Amino acid sequence: GAGVSQSPSNKVTEKGKDVELRCDPISGHTALYWYRQSLGQGLEFLIYFQGNSAPDKSGLPSDRFSAERTGGSVSTLTIQRTQQEDSAVYLCASSQGHARETQYFGPGTRLLVL
Amino acid sequence: QKEVEQDPGPLSVPEGAIVSLNCTYSNSAFQYFMWYRQYSRKGPELLMYTYSSGNKEDGRFTAQVDKSSKYISLFIRDSQPSDSATYLCAVLPNAGGTSYGKLTFGQGTILTVHP
């Protein structure tokens, strides 16, 4: 079946612009996670959704970052007033819901802020 | 200090070699241990998932956990060029609280297996 998909694959933007990154999880997966992968920092947790609720937003680096999930499915990560340090690969993962369930990752969105 | 430490390498080995990849972690609350493989420009995919101390085998891959020393390892036997990828260890605390499902990753080790 279809895996986790993310769009766009690549995004180049200018400093100060807003960007939206989209994640389509595996159908039926109630848990959805956003991670960020950058050189030097590795892969870092950003936010976790269970259904449409976000019980853990502890990894969002600043209030310029926000995320939402609608219909228990698609999620959007929004970065306002992008900065060069936001350049990274943004990865989305989904799982069946229990904490110990395997997380399946999408291919990521490569964001470059000029 | 990072909660999970992993040598980023890079590691280069000849085909057929035994590869040893290692991570250490600092928090005894971590109870679940995973190894992910990530090919270039792809998302990570789960290779191994363990809970208890000891060894778990799956084909050419063996995951080893030593909770007493907070040390986790992945061994790859008879390594192949197709094993060339970045290998990430990840840990998960026991169930409960808002840290549910929140993976903490090591830096990743870049492995190249040359023919």
Side-chain angles (χ1 to χ4, degrees):
Chain A
V4 177
S5 61
Q6 293 186 245
S7 60
S9 301
N10 297 280
K11 178 71 176 179
V12 180
T13 191
E14 294 178 347
K15 178 181 171 181
K17 295 284 177 83
D18 297 352
V19 295
E20 281 192 355
L21 313 179
R22 177 187 167 107
C23 171
D24 281 87
I26 292 172
S27 178
H29 280 191
T30 59
L32 186 147
Y33 306 82
W34 284 98
Y35 295 88
R36 179 170 72 173
Q37 188 172 32
S38 54
L39 286 174
Q41 295 298 317
L43 222 159
E44 302 173 298
F45 168 85
L46 295 178
I47 187 169
Y48 156 59
F49 286 93
Q50 182 61 250
N52 292 336
S53 301
D56 191 348
K57 306 178 183 180
S58 61
L60 294 178
S62 76
D63 58 8
R64 296 185 297 103
F65 287 73
S66 63
E68 65 174 11
R69 190 178 184 195
T70 55
S73 180
V74 172
S75 177
T76 303
L77 178 69
T78 301
I79 309 173
Q80 295 178 310
R81 305 180 303 282
T82 52
Q83 303 294 311
Q84 288 180 332
E85 61 262 28
D86 299 334
S87 296
V89 178
Y90 290 82
L91 290 158
C92 174
S94 70
S95 76
Q96 289 187 329
H98 281 287
R100 299 186 293 277
E101 294 287 341
T102 298
Q103 295 181 28
Y104 296 87
F105 282 82
T109 293
R110 283 152 190 81
L111 175 66
L112 178 61
V113 182
L114 300 176
Chain B
Q1 183 187 1
K2 289 184 179 292
E3 290 188 289
V4 181
E5 298 277 1
Q6 181 178 8
D7 185 342
L11 185 61
S12 181
V13 301
E15 183 175 355
I18 296 174
V19 176
S20 173
L21 304 167
N22 309 291
C23 290
T24 58
Y25 62 96
S26 56
N27 191 339
S28 58
F30 294 131
Q31 296 290 317
Y32 299 90
F33 309 95
M34 283 141 275
W35 285 95
Y36 279 83
R37 177 175 63 195
Q38 186 176 24
Y39 291 114
S40 181
R41 304 189 74 80
K42 301 285 188 184
E45 58 177 336
L46 183 67
L47 264 183
M48 302 287 282
Y49 191 154
T50 59
Y51 170 70
S52 56
S53 283
N55 293 350
K56 180 177 180 179
E57 265 192 45
D58 185 359
R60 296 185 295 109
F61 299 90
T62 299
Q64 189 174 81
V65 175
D66 182 347
K67 289 186 178 180
S68 63
S69 57
K70 299 187 180 68
Y71 196 83
I72 55 179
S73 302
L74 178 70
F75 299 97
I76 308 174
R77 290 184 300 281
D78 187 25
S79 55
Q80 303 295 309
S82 58
D83 295 328
S84 298
T86 298
Y87 289 79
L88 300 140
C89 61
V91 297
L92 197 58
N94 212 344
T98 57
S99 56
Y100 240 63
K102 175 184 172 182
L103 292 172
T104 301
F105 285 87
Q107 285 273 80
T109 300
I110 300 171
L111 171 68
T112 301
V113 181
H114 50 89

